[in-house]
Amino acid sequence: MLIKYVEFIKSATRAAHYPPGDLPEIAFAGRSNVGKSSLINVLVNRKSLVRTSSTPGRTQLINFFDVNGQFTLVDLPGYGFAKVPLAVKKQWGPMMENYLAKRANLRGVILILDIRRTPVAEDIQMLHWLQAYSIKPILVITKCDKVSKNERGKQSRIIAQTLGVTPEELNFFSALNREGKDLIWRKIEEVLPAETADAAGEASKAT
Ligand SMILES: Nc1nc2c(ncn2[C@@H]2O[C@H](COP(=O)(O)OP(=O)(O)O)[C@@H](O)[C@H]2O)c(=O)[nH]1
Ligand SMILES: [Mg+2]
């Protein structure tokens, strides 16, 4: 995938404020601090397009980014951070379900999980919503640099089992050493409409 440019479009909480849905869209979801911003930054080759934060979970905004004028990347609000006020926590479910139900141009959601953690209720809820709305999930297991090969095998079986998927459906990633970057782009290209993926692929061959 050739990234010619990436531009922040806008933030929104409700559907009336989403940008026009005229381009195919890929969204990123996961609990706070899982490494969502780091993954997006590695994918688009930017150091800090999306802010990586040590005090996560305060923003409950849906952030839209334009890539090459060809498709949109969406940073969804993180969940599961203990210190977030209850009122903010309560907004998360309806905000997510509304987005997933209404965004007709949404082609796939990258659900990000930490290799060291067992999936939480919201991870499972997110996967169920994707199944219910027939939105293709791409499961990314991040922070893989933090565990041994052995531990990776053990944890991926636990994660797969908790989510009710096969370990083969898990895509391993590390923002530190960039393992998995190309594989995740291939998965994204698979869910983009053929003409979008082809256009981006042709552009990358030409350079
Ligand atoms: N070792 C390691 N640390 C990571 C990785 N991805 C993210 N982090 C760190 O985890 C913390 C949270 O990352 P961030 O991308 O802000 O998470 P977000 O809240 O999900 O957007 C930051 O300190 C990152 O540097 C990774 O693949 N490996
Ligand atoms: Mg973030």
Side-chain angles (χ1 to χ4, degrees):
M1 178 67 64
L2 179 79
I3 309 301
K4 286 180 278 187
Y5 65 87
V6 190
E7 236 165 50
F8 173 70
I9 305 170
K10 70 181 299 194
S11 298
T13 54
R14 55 178 110 149
H17 298 162
Y18 299 165
D22 46 4
L23 287 173
E25 194 155 282
I26 304 288
F28 294 76
R31 56 185 298 167
S32 296
N33 218 28
V34 73
K36 185 157 51 73
S37 299
S38 303
L39 169 65
I40 297 172
N41 287 330
V42 166
L43 287 176
V44 302
N45 305 314
R46 294 293 185 282
K47 277 220 170 67
S48 56
L49 175 79
V50 188
R51 215 171 128 259
T52 54
S53 159
S54 50
T55 53
R58 286 170 206 285
T59 47
Q60 290 278 304
L61 295 169
I62 303 175
N63 295 306
F64 296 83
F65 298 87
D66 173 25
V67 182
N68 298 346
Q70 289 171 322
F71 57 97
T72 311
L73 293 184
V74 175
D75 187 7
L76 295 171
Y79 43 80
F81 188 60
K83 288 184 185 142
V84 169
L86 189 61
V88 173
K89 273 187 194 161
K90 281 188 177 160
Q91 291 163 5
W92 178 81
M95 200 195 283
M96 280 310 93
E97 202 174 7
N98 213 13
Y99 171 77
L100 297 172
K102 290 195 175 150
R103 202 63 174 158
N105 57 325
L106 181 62
R107 304 302 294 241
V109 171
I110 299 191
L111 180 58
I112 306 151
L113 300 125
D114 187 322
I115 187 71
R116 302 163 303 169
R117 287 169 175 266
T118 302
V120 295
E122 291 95 331
D123 296 320
I124 296 163
Q125 173 69 77
M126 183 58 79
L127 193 56
H128 287 169
W129 277 329
L130 298 179
Q131 287 157 351
Y133 293 113
S134 301
I135 300 160
K136 184 89 178 144
I138 299 173
L139 301 173
V140 169
I141 312 302
T142 194
K143 306 198 185 184
C144 285
D145 58 276
K146 286 185 181 266
V147 299
S148 67
K149 276 264 139 65
N150 234 349
E151 189 74 359
R152 178 190 296 207
K154 191 179 132 223
Q155 280 300 112
S156 52
R157 281 189 294 278
I158 293 171
I159 293 169
Q161 196 176 31
T162 311
L163 294 176
V165 302
T166 64
E168 289 70 36
E169 290 172 74
L170 307 180
N171 302 287
F172 298 106
F173 178 76
S174 162
L176 209 72
N177 60 30
R178 299 177 172 223
E179 173 194 353
K181 180 186 171 183
D182 294 345
L183 173 65
I184 295 166
W185 267 127
R186 280 204 298 282
K187 296 287 164 103
I188 293 173
E189 283 166 14
E190 274 172 28
V191 301
L192 286 173
E195 59 278 15
T196 307
D198 286 352
E202 280 310 311
S204 83
K205 266 184 235 147
T207 47

